[in-house]
Amino acid sequence: MRIAISTGGGDAPGLNAVIRAAVLSARTRGWDVLGIKRGFSGLLGEDEIVPLTTDSVRGIAGQGGTIIKTTNRGSPFAYPIQQPDGTWKNVDRSDELVENARNLGIEAIISIGGDGSLKIAQQLQEKGVRVVSVPKTIDNDVAGTITTFGFDTAVNTAMEAIDKLHTTAESHDRVMVLEVMGREAGFIALHAGVAGTADVILIPEIEWEIDKVCEKIMARDASGKRFSIVVVAEGSKPKGGHESIIGESLPGQDRRLGGIAERLGYDIQRLTGKETRSMVLGHLQRGGSPTGYDRLLATRFGAAAVQAVADKKWGHMVALQSPHLVTIPIEEVLRETKRVDPKHDVVQTARMIGISFGD
Ligand code: F6P
């Protein structure tokens, strides 16, 4: 048996642990394993295909990133090709991919990725390529699985940032606004915000108002707690829009307002009069060594994906439905949208301990 592994979309801590586990369990069965470089690009002649052996995965379980690289662009069904006039056009190169995979003797592909990669996996499956998927996202927004590897590491990174912001916020009696990742989902903001004891958590799933955020900050001030920590998910927007305008300059500075954290900080300072600072945690959440939880989950997913290939579970994704690992049809996963449930006990817990959601 010859299988190939690809990693697509934004990287997440734990990808290498999945690759390692998949390679080791495939080799134990006597299978050959190839790594497709940069998503599926490696199968389109633009990059290499590399053999993955027990030697090539030695010592990588704790390393961030992916040894076979990844890309956000490069769906074989809409592959960007530069035209002679310099513009880019998306071209369907899926037939070429199928033929190249056949010529290389690839009998099945383990595709590790989020929503975008799952869609590609489903389309390839419909073209007769045998695919098994492994869910990957730091945002925790893939349906069908309680969680994915990478999320716990991202939450820990954000939580440590919130811890550090507390001391400087308190020393200066300031409001600190921290923007975390998550696309349209608020899982990282919610989990890191509760674990890091933020005062306000703003997520796309709960409609919030700037006035309510300011009320919370001023109530804390009145009670003698003259600093506040606000965690905001990148996909979140206030009801009725911001007071501030993109492109406006910060008071006393030339720098122009950009993303949600800056605009929110600007609005808070303008409405409360409190000195406010904002920061975007950004790609720090995607980097570094996976936590023990993520390494273990990634290792379980990697081995389970090889088992799914052995069981011919084509078009399925491995998933955690505690306490078990299961496989579910990718089609089903793609039908659902996973977001924070405002009634979830983590949200209720946060409310019970006085955290505001600005609603
Ligand atoms: O989906 C993972 C994620 O890190 C999101 O949280 C974020 O919005 C996005 O990817 C950033 O992607 P990139 O910078 O790689 O384009």
Side-chain angles (χ1 to χ4, degrees):
M1 178 85 165
R2 170 172 284 184
I3 64 167
I5 301 178
S6 87
T7 52
D11 63 344
L15 278 170
N16 279 329
V18 180
I19 296 170
R20 173 177 172 271
V23 169
L24 295 182
S25 43
R27 293 297 306 138
T28 303
R29 291 166 194 267
W31 300 353
D32 266 356
V33 190
L34 300 176
I36 305 168
K37 294 284 272 297
R38 294 186 179 83
F40 288 100
S41 309
L43 271 178
L44 292 173
E46 300 213 353
D47 213 328
E48 344 68 293
I49 297 281
V50 289
L52 292 176
T53 62
T54 48
D55 271 350
S56 38
V57 298
R58 185 163 293 138
I60 66 167
Q63 284 172 15
T66 159
I67 58 164
I68 50 175
K69 306 209 176 228
T70 187
T71 176
N72 293 3
R73 287 167 284 277
S75 162
F77 295 90
Y79 203 85
I81 304 275
Q82 194 160 25
Q83 304 301 296
D85 65 0
T87 58
W88 291 83
K89 193 173 155 209
N90 288 340
V91 174
D92 184 351
R93 296 183 64 189
S94 55
D95 287 336
E96 211 180 310
L97 183 145
V98 174
E99 195 182 325
N100 289 343
R102 194 178 303 127
N103 292 342
L104 285 162
I106 294 170
E107 292 163 83
I109 297 177
I110 295 178
S111 162
I112 313 167
D115 276 350
S117 303
L118 283 162
K119 272 182 210 129
I120 298 170
Q122 177 63 21
Q123 287 172 294
L124 287 175
Q125 174 70 25
E126 283 159 12
K127 283 186 92 94
V129 180
R130 296 148 149 195
V131 188
V132 164
S133 285
V134 174
K136 169 248 46 161
T137 162
I138 64 160
D139 305 331
N140 200 30
D141 60 351
V142 173
T145 183
I146 288 170
T147 192
T148 54
F149 64 89
F151 174 61
D152 186 62
T153 308
V155 167
N156 275 284
T157 300
M159 183 194 73
E160 282 165 21
I162 298 168
D163 284 348
K164 290 182 178 170
L165 289 177
H166 265 96
T167 58
T168 174
E170 189 160 13
S171 307
H172 286 264
D173 292 335
R174 279 175 175 160
V175 178
M176 303 298 293
V177 176
L178 176 71
E179 177 184 316
V180 297
M181 282 185 165
R183 293 200 299 182
E184 300 304 314
F187 291 103
I188 298 177
L190 176 65
H191 287 230
V194 175
T197 71
D199 306 299
V200 180
I201 298 174
L202 304 172
I203 58 175
E205 297 87 344
I206 299 178
E207 197 172 54
W208 52 276
E209 290 173 48
I210 186 70
D211 290 346
K212 297 276 170 52
V213 174
C214 293
E215 263 169 38
K216 170 72 182 176
I217 291 166
M218 294 319 283
R220 279 177 56 80
D221 224 52
S223 74
K225 293 178 208 123
R226 300 194 48 212
F227 72 96
S228 289
I229 307 289
V230 178
V231 176
V232 60
E234 64 181 357
S236 146
K237 284 178 205 71
K239 190 174 167 186
H242 287 276
E243 294 263 316
S244 57
I245 296 162
I246 286 184
E248 206 165 1
S249 62
L250 290 165
Q253 291 183 19
D254 280 342
R255 209 153 52 85
R256 304 281 153 189
L257 285 181
I260 173 99
E262 273 196 337
R263 300 182 73 193
L264 181 58
Y266 181 87
D267 289 346
I268 291 172
Q269 181 158 327
R270 182 147 72 183
L271 295 168
T272 65
K274 285 198 67 69
E275 206 176 8
T276 304
R277 295 285 185 271
S278 310
M279 73 164 289
V280 180
L281 195 53
H283 292 77
L284 281 175
Q285 293 158 100
R286 294 235 301 250
S289 183
T291 58
Y293 182 89
D294 279 342
R295 285 186 211 188
L296 177 62
L297 183 60
T299 301
R300 293 170 75 194
F301 276 172
V306 169
Q307 183 63 52
V309 171
D311 295 341
K312 302 188 168 40
K313 295 278 182 105
W314 312 128
H316 278 61
M317 179 188 90
V318 299
L320 176 67
Q321 292 184 359
S322 283
H324 304 293
L325 288 192
V326 297
T327 64
I328 44 176
I330 296 171
E331 239 182 336
E332 262 177 42
V333 176
L334 291 174
R335 270 202 297 268
E336 271 181 66
T337 302
K338 184 174 166 195
R339 296 288 180 264
V340 171
D341 174 1
K343 294 198 181 70
H344 194 278
D345 85 83
V346 181
V347 177
Q348 301 313 322
T349 301
R351 290 193 190 278
M352 285 191 270
I353 61 170
I355 295 175
S356 165
F357 286 89
D359 58 342

